[in-house]
Amino acid sequence: VVREIDPAHGEPDPLRAVEDRDELIAALGQLPPLQRAAVVLCYIDGLLVREAAKVLGRSESATESLLSRARERLRELIRGDVDGR
């Protein structure tokens, strides 16, 4: 069976994936330590916010706040919007 591959929905470019990963790692390195720790614990280690909060010695709401600020900062860094505009 032969099927046509739509270039817009084709397989991901492995080189782009490496570039994206490197960009994300660089951006993570620019986060304040608590924000970086929250991101790593929840998104890389897969902990629940409740579990990450215990590890960080923070409340769940404080950990959620750390994650929210970290996500926003990562968006800014990855888009190159360092001034926050």
Side-chain angles (χ1 to χ4, degrees):
V1 174
V2 177
R3 60 187 172 104
E4 187 174 329
I5 298 175
D6 180 1
H9 295 85
E11 294 182 27
D13 179 7
L15 183 57
R16 182 66 200 157
V18 169
E19 291 170 355
D20 289 346
R21 186 192 70 218
D22 291 346
E23 186 176 20
L24 180 58
I25 290 169
L28 277 169
Q30 294 182 52
L31 292 178
L34 278 175
Q35 288 181 14
R36 183 174 47 248
V39 168
V40 168
L41 289 169
C42 290
Y43 297 114
I44 296 174
D45 293 343
L47 296 183
L48 299 173
V49 172
R50 163 179 81 246
E51 297 166 331
K54 282 185 179 181
V55 171
L56 295 172
R58 304 278 188 227
S59 68
E60 284 185 50
S61 62
T63 303
E64 287 281 4
S65 182
L66 283 170
L67 288 168
S68 178
R69 289 192 308 270
R71 286 189 302 264
E72 182 59 34
R73 185 66 180 137
L74 286 171
R75 278 187 214 103
E76 292 170 359
L77 290 166
I78 289 172
R79 289 182 187 150
D81 187 17
V82 178
D83 295 331
R85 286 183 245 149

